[in-house]
Amino acid sequence: MSLLWTLLACAPDIAPESSDSGLEDTGLEKTEDSAGVVSIELDTTDYEAWLYLDLESRELVDITGPLTSDGWDLAFQRYTVKLNGGVSGGGEVEAAELLGQTLEDLVQAPVDGWVTDAADADEDGVPEYALATWYDYDSATHLLSAADKSYALRSVEGGYFALQFDSYYDDAGSPGHVSFRVSSVASP
């Protein structure tokens, strides 16, 4: 099933693009509004590279050696997002899914509902990523759209954040450009 999703999610762009692994080529773009909400767009067009993001700094972290639990909270590869927790890392990052809530609705992290990345339970060869349902897939158009939900996140450093995905496409409609908004929130 995961191979099917991989093929379908990138159907408009099936030819892999080559990319250097250096951070200078990632295409990280971010802006901050007056309320402190940071909008981020990541160039995830590389089919193999993971991009590691620190929520506190809202910057990418260069992982050149062995993957450690320090310095990163979320990692992105195409439309896949993993947490630095559970089977994906030792940072104890957790997420709580909040259906029907916007980023602006979340001012304080919830008390319960926290999960992290788990081992492959459905035997598809892919871990059960806590943020795996951030998008909806349209089988007629083969396009992804951001699901109607937001997430509360607890970072490696113990900070709390709200996150809401906006898109998987850039302004030209090219896939592999994950955009989302993130803001700090109060602890539970």
Side-chain angles (χ1 to χ4, degrees):
M1 180 79 171
S2 88
L3 177 59
L4 174 62
W5 281 109
T6 301
L7 292 173
L8 294 175
C10 59
D13 179 24
I14 60 173
E17 298 175 15
S18 63
S19 172
D20 293 348
S21 59
L23 292 179
E24 67 278 357
D25 295 330
T26 61
L28 171 91
E29 295 179 25
K30 67 179 182 176
T31 57
E32 185 171 353
D33 69 14
S34 61
V37 176
V38 178
S39 296
I40 297 174
E41 182 178 315
L42 294 174
D43 180 348
T44 62
T45 55
D46 188 313
Y47 281 72
E48 298 189 22
W50 283 94
L51 300 178
Y52 296 88
L53 182 76
D54 173 51
L55 287 171
E56 272 78 15
S57 68
R58 276 68 159 196
E59 295 289 341
L60 292 176
V61 177
D62 188 9
I63 307 290
T64 55
L67 185 60
T68 67
S69 61
D70 298 332
W72 68 278
D73 298 298
L74 302 173
F76 300 81
Q77 182 187 56
R78 299 290 292 171
Y79 55 84
T80 303
V81 183
K82 67 181 176 180
L83 303 178
N84 185 355
V87 298
S88 298
E92 300 181 5
V93 174
E94 294 181 308
E97 184 177 294
L98 306 163
L99 295 173
Q101 290 190 24
T102 66
L103 180 86
E104 293 75 21
D105 294 334
L106 186 62
V107 294
Q108 182 175 22
V111 173
D112 54 15
W114 295 95
V115 297
T116 194
D117 293 351
D120 179 15
D122 56 11
E123 299 180 6
D124 65 354
V126 178
E128 306 308 324
Y129 294 116
L131 301 183
T133 61
W134 74 263
Y135 62 87
D136 293 320
Y137 175 71
D138 185 329
S139 60
T141 63
H142 303 295
L143 297 176
L144 304 181
S145 60
D148 184 23
K149 62 179 82 172
S150 59
Y151 296 92
L153 297 166
R154 187 179 57 77
S155 73
V156 168
E157 293 87 358
Y160 290 89
F161 298 88
L163 181 140
Q164 186 168 6
F165 289 93
D166 294 319
S167 184
Y168 179 64
Y169 304 93
D170 65 9
D171 291 338
S174 300
H177 296 273
V178 176
S179 62
F180 55 93
R181 291 170 292 131
V182 64
S183 65
S184 297
V185 296
S187 61

